[in-house]
Amino acid sequence: MIGRMYGVGIASQAQTAAKTLIEVAAPADSVVFVERVYIKQTSFDTAEVLGSTFQRITATGTGTATTPRPLQSGDAAYAGTVETNSTIEPTYDANGILVEEAFNVAVGLVWTPGNDDEVMVISPSALLGLNLDVAPSTSMNFSYGCTLREIGG
């Protein structure tokens, strides 16, 4: 497959609520494939099951501007935008859940498509969010990220 590959990786952050961890906006002239997503808990040694969704967003929220890093040295900067650790939640499309997963915090979550037909595609200018849709029972530190492929531009 063609395109430029980018990584978004956030080191250990305390989380206490159900919230958006990553919001990806595709550039106006490109499509973006989400190739991999992960959430791993880094501070808690007891099993607890949480939920996560990857869902379409209709209006952006407010989070920390995060720069995706090119996986190939010398590639151009990512032309869209990425926000992490939302402080104001985006507006989610009520019918826009693409993937819903439960995971044990002691093990973490890694999502990759089973085949090319399962790759999540973000249309030009569209938004997609990865969230914790269940609040942890106590403050936990999570590392999380995704791998993106930008095609076009």
Side-chain angles (χ1 to χ4, degrees):
M1 191 178 282
I2 58 172
R4 292 187 196 93
M5 300 289 294
Y6 299 91
V8 175
I10 302 300
S12 191
Q13 288 179 335
Q15 302 294 340
T16 59
K19 68 184 306 184
T20 301
L21 298 176
I22 302 174
E23 178 183 305
V24 178
D29 60 353
S30 302
V31 296
V32 174
F33 294 128
V34 180
E35 302 272 347
R36 178 178 181 266
V37 174
Y38 69 90
I39 304 172
K40 70 177 190 173
Q41 184 277 132
T42 59
S43 65
F44 202 70
D45 60 2
T46 304
E48 179 174 338
V49 176
L50 296 179
S52 179
T53 62
F54 314 136
Q55 192 169 353
R56 290 189 178 104
I57 294 172
T58 58
T60 189
T62 301
T64 302
T66 302
T67 302
R69 301 292 180 203
L71 297 185
Q72 177 67 41
S73 179
D75 268 356
Y78 179 69
T81 60
V82 174
E83 292 182 352
T84 58
N85 200 29
S86 290
T87 53
I88 298 174
E89 286 296 303
T91 303
Y92 282 100
D93 177 342
N95 299 312
I97 294 176
L98 302 177
V99 175
E100 184 173 17
E101 293 285 339
F103 67 99
N104 186 325
V105 298
V107 178
L109 167 70
V110 175
W111 177 88
T112 57
N115 60 55
D116 288 344
D117 294 332
E118 293 180 355
V119 172
M120 287 183 279
V121 179
I122 308 172
S123 300
S125 300
L127 301 159
L128 183 74
L130 162 69
N131 67 24
L132 284 177
D133 69 348
V134 176
S137 62
T138 187
S139 180
M140 293 183 197
N141 291 347
F142 289 92
S143 295
Y144 52 90
C146 62
T147 303
L148 306 171
R149 181 186 304 267
E150 179 185 352
I151 298 176

Short mmCIF file of all heavy atoms in Angstrom, two decimals, residues 1 24-27 30-36 54-57 78 96 98-99 111 113 115-129 147-151:
data_model
loop_
_atom_site.label_atom_id
_atom_site.label_comp_id
_atom_site.label_asym_id
_atom_site.label_seq_id
_atom_site.Cartn_x
_atom_site.Cartn_y
_atom_site.Cartn_z
N MET A 1 0.85 -1.18 0.00
CA MET A 1 0.00 0.00 0.00
C MET A 1 0.90 1.24 0.00
O MET A 1 1.96 1.24 0.59
CB MET A 1 -0.91 -0.02 1.23
CG MET A 1 -1.99 1.02 1.17
SD MET A 1 -3.12 1.00 2.57
CE MET A 1 -4.14 -0.37 2.14
N VAL A 24 -8.35 12.19 15.70
CA VAL A 24 -7.60 12.34 14.45
C VAL A 24 -8.47 13.05 13.43
O VAL A 24 -9.62 12.64 13.19
CB VAL A 24 -7.18 10.96 13.88
CG1 VAL A 24 -6.44 11.13 12.56
CG2 VAL A 24 -6.34 10.19 14.88
N ALA A 25 -7.94 14.10 12.83
CA ALA A 25 -8.61 14.81 11.75
C ALA A 25 -7.82 14.56 10.47
O ALA A 25 -6.61 14.81 10.42
CB ALA A 25 -8.69 16.30 12.03
N ALA A 26 -8.50 14.07 9.44
CA ALA A 26 -7.85 13.86 8.15
C ALA A 26 -7.69 15.20 7.43
O ALA A 26 -8.52 16.10 7.60
CB ALA A 26 -8.68 12.90 7.29
N PRO A 27 -6.63 15.34 6.64
CA PRO A 27 -6.49 16.56 5.84
C PRO A 27 -7.62 16.68 4.82
O PRO A 27 -8.27 15.68 4.47
CB PRO A 27 -5.16 16.36 5.11
CG PRO A 27 -4.50 15.19 5.74
CD PRO A 27 -5.55 14.39 6.43
N SER A 30 -6.80 14.43 1.60
CA SER A 30 -6.24 13.08 1.78
C SER A 30 -7.21 12.20 2.57
O SER A 30 -8.05 12.70 3.31
CB SER A 30 -4.92 13.14 2.57
OG SER A 30 -3.98 13.95 1.94
N VAL A 31 -7.03 10.90 2.40
CA VAL A 31 -7.70 9.95 3.29
C VAL A 31 -6.63 9.41 4.24
O VAL A 31 -5.44 9.41 3.93
CB VAL A 31 -8.38 8.78 2.54
CG1 VAL A 31 -9.52 9.28 1.66
CG2 VAL A 31 -7.39 7.98 1.74
N VAL A 32 -7.10 8.98 5.41
CA VAL A 32 -6.18 8.46 6.42
C VAL A 32 -6.68 7.08 6.83
O VAL A 32 -7.86 6.91 7.14
CB VAL A 32 -6.11 9.40 7.64
CG1 VAL A 32 -5.27 8.79 8.75
CG2 VAL A 32 -5.54 10.76 7.22
N PHE A 33 -5.78 6.12 6.81
CA PHE A 33 -6.08 4.78 7.30
C PHE A 33 -5.52 4.64 8.70
O PHE A 33 -4.37 5.01 8.96
CB PHE A 33 -5.43 3.70 6.40
CG PHE A 33 -5.97 3.64 5.02
CD1 PHE A 33 -5.12 3.70 3.92
CD2 PHE A 33 -7.33 3.53 4.79
CE1 PHE A 33 -5.61 3.63 2.63
CE2 PHE A 33 -7.83 3.46 3.50
CZ PHE A 33 -6.98 3.51 2.42
N VAL A 34 -6.33 4.11 9.61
CA VAL A 34 -5.85 3.79 10.95
C VAL A 34 -5.39 2.35 10.90
O VAL A 34 -6.20 1.43 10.73
CB VAL A 34 -6.95 4.00 12.01
CG1 VAL A 34 -6.42 3.65 13.40
CG2 VAL A 34 -7.47 5.43 11.96
N GLU A 35 -4.10 2.15 11.04
CA GLU A 35 -3.49 0.82 10.87
C GLU A 35 -3.33 0.07 12.19
O GLU A 35 -3.26 -1.15 12.20
CB GLU A 35 -2.11 0.97 10.23
CG GLU A 35 -2.12 1.68 8.88
CD GLU A 35 -2.34 0.73 7.73
OE1 GLU A 35 -2.24 -0.48 7.92
OE2 GLU A 35 -2.61 1.23 6.62
N ARG A 36 -3.25 0.80 13.31
CA ARG A 36 -3.01 0.16 14.61
C ARG A 36 -3.39 1.15 15.70
O ARG A 36 -3.16 2.35 15.56
CB ARG A 36 -1.54 -0.21 14.73
CG ARG A 36 -1.13 -0.84 16.04
CD ARG A 36 0.36 -1.21 15.98
NE ARG A 36 0.78 -1.84 17.20
CZ ARG A 36 1.33 -1.20 18.23
NH1 ARG A 36 1.52 0.09 18.18
NH2 ARG A 36 1.69 -1.87 19.31
N PHE A 54 -13.81 3.20 18.90
CA PHE A 54 -13.28 4.02 17.83
C PHE A 54 -14.53 4.51 17.11
O PHE A 54 -15.31 3.69 16.61
CB PHE A 54 -12.39 3.24 16.87
CG PHE A 54 -11.38 2.36 17.58
CD1 PHE A 54 -11.17 1.07 17.14
CD2 PHE A 54 -10.67 2.81 18.67
CE1 PHE A 54 -10.25 0.25 17.77
CE2 PHE A 54 -9.76 2.00 19.31
CZ PHE A 54 -9.55 0.72 18.86
N GLN A 55 -14.72 5.81 17.08
CA GLN A 55 -16.02 6.34 16.67
C GLN A 55 -15.85 7.59 15.84
O GLN A 55 -14.95 8.40 16.08
CB GLN A 55 -16.82 6.64 17.94
CG GLN A 55 -18.26 6.93 17.74
CD GLN A 55 -19.02 6.95 19.07
OE1 GLN A 55 -18.48 6.63 20.13
NE2 GLN A 55 -20.27 7.33 19.01
N ARG A 56 -16.76 7.77 14.89
CA ARG A 56 -16.76 8.99 14.08
C ARG A 56 -17.18 10.18 14.94
O ARG A 56 -18.03 10.06 15.81
CB ARG A 56 -17.71 8.84 12.90
CG ARG A 56 -17.19 7.86 11.87
CD ARG A 56 -18.04 7.89 10.60
NE ARG A 56 -17.48 6.98 9.64
CZ ARG A 56 -17.97 5.78 9.35
NH1 ARG A 56 -19.07 5.35 9.95
NH2 ARG A 56 -17.38 5.00 8.46
N ILE A 57 -16.57 11.32 14.64
CA ILE A 57 -16.82 12.57 15.36
C ILE A 57 -17.44 13.56 14.39
O ILE A 57 -16.99 13.69 13.25
CB ILE A 57 -15.49 13.13 15.93
CG1 ILE A 57 -14.94 12.18 17.00
CG2 ILE A 57 -15.67 14.53 16.47
CD1 ILE A 57 -13.55 12.55 17.50
N TYR A 78 2.67 15.30 8.82
CA TYR A 78 1.26 14.91 8.67
C TYR A 78 0.43 16.16 8.37
O TYR A 78 0.58 17.19 9.03
CB TYR A 78 0.78 14.24 9.97
CG TYR A 78 -0.66 13.81 9.95
CD1 TYR A 78 -1.08 12.78 9.13
CD2 TYR A 78 -1.60 14.43 10.76
CE1 TYR A 78 -2.41 12.38 9.11
CE2 TYR A 78 -2.92 14.04 10.76
CZ TYR A 78 -3.32 13.01 9.93
OH TYR A 78 -4.63 12.62 9.92
N GLY A 96 -21.93 6.24 14.77
CA GLY A 96 -20.62 6.17 14.15
C GLY A 96 -19.61 5.28 14.83
O GLY A 96 -18.41 5.43 14.59
N LEU A 98 -17.27 2.43 15.07
CA LEU A 98 -16.67 1.52 14.11
C LEU A 98 -16.16 0.26 14.79
O LEU A 98 -16.25 -0.83 14.23
CB LEU A 98 -15.53 2.20 13.36
CG LEU A 98 -15.92 3.46 12.60
CD1 LEU A 98 -14.69 4.09 11.96
CD2 LEU A 98 -16.98 3.17 11.57
N VAL A 99 -15.59 0.42 15.97
CA VAL A 99 -15.07 -0.71 16.74
C VAL A 99 -15.39 -0.45 18.20
O VAL A 99 -15.23 0.68 18.69
CB VAL A 99 -13.54 -0.87 16.57
CG1 VAL A 99 -12.99 -1.97 17.46
CG2 VAL A 99 -13.18 -1.12 15.11
N TRP A 111 -5.30 -3.04 18.81
CA TRP A 111 -6.21 -3.30 17.69
C TRP A 111 -5.43 -3.13 16.41
O TRP A 111 -4.77 -2.11 16.19
CB TRP A 111 -7.39 -2.33 17.70
CG TRP A 111 -8.28 -2.56 16.53
CD1 TRP A 111 -9.33 -3.42 16.46
CD2 TRP A 111 -8.17 -1.96 15.23
NE1 TRP A 111 -9.89 -3.38 15.20
CE2 TRP A 111 -9.19 -2.50 14.43
CE3 TRP A 111 -7.30 -1.02 14.68
CZ2 TRP A 111 -9.36 -2.12 13.10
CZ3 TRP A 111 -7.48 -0.67 13.35
CH2 TRP A 111 -8.50 -1.21 12.58
N PRO A 113 -6.17 -4.29 12.10
CA PRO A 113 -7.17 -4.91 11.22
C PRO A 113 -6.80 -6.35 10.91
O PRO A 113 -5.62 -6.67 10.73
CB PRO A 113 -7.16 -4.05 9.97
CG PRO A 113 -5.84 -3.35 9.99
CD PRO A 113 -5.43 -3.23 11.42
N ASN A 115 -7.63 -7.87 8.21
CA ASN A 115 -7.30 -7.87 6.79
C ASN A 115 -7.52 -6.46 6.25
O ASN A 115 -7.98 -5.58 6.98
CB ASN A 115 -8.13 -8.93 6.03
CG ASN A 115 -9.62 -8.66 6.15
OD1 ASN A 115 -10.09 -7.57 5.83
ND2 ASN A 115 -10.37 -9.64 6.64
N ASP A 116 -7.22 -6.24 4.98
CA ASP A 116 -7.33 -4.90 4.40
C ASP A 116 -8.75 -4.34 4.44
O ASP A 116 -8.94 -3.13 4.43
CB ASP A 116 -6.82 -4.90 2.96
CG ASP A 116 -5.32 -5.04 2.88
OD1 ASP A 116 -4.65 -4.85 3.92
OD2 ASP A 116 -4.81 -5.35 1.79
N ASP A 117 -9.75 -5.21 4.48
CA ASP A 117 -11.13 -4.74 4.50
C ASP A 117 -11.55 -4.17 5.85
O ASP A 117 -12.60 -3.54 5.96
CB ASP A 117 -12.09 -5.89 4.13
CG ASP A 117 -11.90 -6.33 2.69
OD1 ASP A 117 -11.48 -5.50 1.86
OD2 ASP A 117 -12.16 -7.51 2.40
N GLU A 118 -10.76 -4.42 6.89
CA GLU A 118 -11.10 -3.95 8.23
C GLU A 118 -10.35 -2.69 8.65
O GLU A 118 -10.53 -2.20 9.76
CB GLU A 118 -10.83 -5.05 9.25
CG GLU A 118 -11.75 -6.24 9.10
CD GLU A 118 -11.46 -7.33 10.12
OE1 GLU A 118 -10.49 -7.22 10.89
OE2 GLU A 118 -12.23 -8.29 10.15
N VAL A 119 -9.53 -2.13 7.78
CA VAL A 119 -8.81 -0.90 8.09
C VAL A 119 -9.82 0.23 8.24
O VAL A 119 -10.71 0.39 7.41
CB VAL A 119 -7.79 -0.56 6.99
CG1 VAL A 119 -7.17 0.80 7.21
CG2 VAL A 119 -6.72 -1.63 6.91
N MET A 120 -9.70 1.00 9.32
CA MET A 120 -10.58 2.16 9.49
C MET A 120 -10.09 3.27 8.58
O MET A 120 -8.90 3.61 8.58
CB MET A 120 -10.58 2.62 10.94
CG MET A 120 -11.34 1.69 11.85
SD MET A 120 -11.41 2.30 13.53
CE MET A 120 -9.80 1.76 14.11
N VAL A 121 -11.00 3.85 7.80
CA VAL A 121 -10.66 4.90 6.85
C VAL A 121 -11.33 6.20 7.30
O VAL A 121 -12.54 6.22 7.55
CB VAL A 121 -11.12 4.54 5.42
CG1 VAL A 121 -10.76 5.66 4.45
CG2 VAL A 121 -10.49 3.22 4.98
N ILE A 122 -10.52 7.26 7.39
CA ILE A 122 -11.05 8.57 7.72
C ILE A 122 -11.06 9.38 6.42
O ILE A 122 -10.02 9.63 5.82
CB ILE A 122 -10.19 9.28 8.78
CG1 ILE A 122 -9.97 8.38 10.00
CG2 ILE A 122 -10.85 10.59 9.20
CD1 ILE A 122 -8.98 8.93 11.00
N SER A 123 -12.25 9.76 5.97
CA SER A 123 -12.41 10.52 4.73
C SER A 123 -11.81 11.91 4.86
O SER A 123 -11.62 12.40 5.98
CB SER A 123 -13.90 10.65 4.38
OG SER A 123 -14.47 9.38 4.23
N PRO A 124 -11.51 12.57 3.72
CA PRO A 124 -10.97 13.93 3.80
C PRO A 124 -11.82 14.83 4.70
O PRO A 124 -13.05 14.81 4.63
CB PRO A 124 -11.01 14.41 2.35
CG PRO A 124 -10.84 13.14 1.56
CD PRO A 124 -11.62 12.11 2.34
N SER A 125 -11.14 15.57 5.58
CA SER A 125 -11.74 16.51 6.53
C SER A 125 -12.60 15.86 7.62
O SER A 125 -13.20 16.56 8.42
CB SER A 125 -12.57 17.58 5.82
OG SER A 125 -11.74 18.31 4.93
N ALA A 126 -12.67 14.54 7.67
CA ALA A 126 -13.47 13.86 8.69
C ALA A 126 -12.65 13.62 9.95
O ALA A 126 -11.42 13.77 9.96
CB ALA A 126 -14.01 12.54 8.14
N LEU A 127 -13.34 13.25 11.02
CA LEU A 127 -12.74 13.07 12.34
C LEU A 127 -13.06 11.69 12.89
O LEU A 127 -14.16 11.16 12.68
CB LEU A 127 -13.29 14.11 13.32
CG LEU A 127 -13.07 15.57 12.97
CD1 LEU A 127 -14.08 16.45 13.70
CD2 LEU A 127 -11.67 15.98 13.35
N LEU A 128 -12.11 11.14 13.64
CA LEU A 128 -12.30 9.85 14.30
C LEU A 128 -11.69 9.94 15.69
O LEU A 128 -10.63 10.55 15.87
CB LEU A 128 -11.62 8.73 13.52
CG LEU A 128 -11.80 7.31 14.07
CD1 LEU A 128 -13.23 6.82 13.77
CD2 LEU A 128 -10.80 6.37 13.47
N GLY A 129 -12.36 9.34 16.68
CA GLY A 129 -11.86 9.38 18.04
C GLY A 129 -11.67 8.00 18.63
O GLY A 129 -12.41 7.07 18.31
N THR A 147 -1.10 4.20 14.76
CA THR A 147 -0.32 4.30 13.53
C THR A 147 -1.27 4.71 12.42
O THR A 147 -2.32 4.08 12.24
CB THR A 147 0.36 2.96 13.19
OG1 THR A 147 1.17 2.56 14.30
CG2 THR A 147 1.23 3.08 11.95
N LEU A 148 -0.90 5.75 11.69
CA LEU A 148 -1.75 6.33 10.64
C LEU A 148 -1.04 6.25 9.30
O LEU A 148 0.18 6.37 9.23
CB LEU A 148 -2.06 7.80 10.94
CG LEU A 148 -2.65 8.11 12.30
CD1 LEU A 148 -2.69 9.62 12.52
CD2 LEU A 148 -4.05 7.51 12.42
N ARG A 149 -1.83 6.06 8.23
CA ARG A 149 -1.30 6.10 6.86
C ARG A 149 -2.08 7.18 6.10
O ARG A 149 -3.29 7.07 5.96
CB ARG A 149 -1.48 4.76 6.16
CG ARG A 149 -0.93 4.74 4.73
CD ARG A 149 -1.26 3.44 4.01
NE ARG A 149 -0.80 2.25 4.72
CZ ARG A 149 0.36 1.66 4.52
NH1 ARG A 149 1.21 2.14 3.64
NH2 ARG A 149 0.68 0.57 5.19
N GLU A 150 -1.37 8.20 5.64
CA GLU A 150 -1.99 9.28 4.89
C GLU A 150 -1.77 9.05 3.40
O GLU A 150 -0.64 8.85 2.95
CB GLU A 150 -1.37 10.62 5.31
CG GLU A 150 -1.93 11.81 4.58
CD GLU A 150 -1.21 13.10 4.94
OE1 GLU A 150 -0.37 13.11 5.85
OE2 GLU A 150 -1.48 14.10 4.26
N ILE A 151 -2.88 9.10 2.64
CA ILE A 151 -2.78 8.90 1.19
C ILE A 151 -3.44 10.09 0.50
O ILE A 151 -4.62 10.39 0.74
CB ILE A 151 -3.47 7.59 0.75
CG1 ILE A 151 -2.75 6.40 1.41
CG2 ILE A 151 -3.48 7.46 -0.76
CD1 ILE A 151 -3.37 5.07 1.13
#
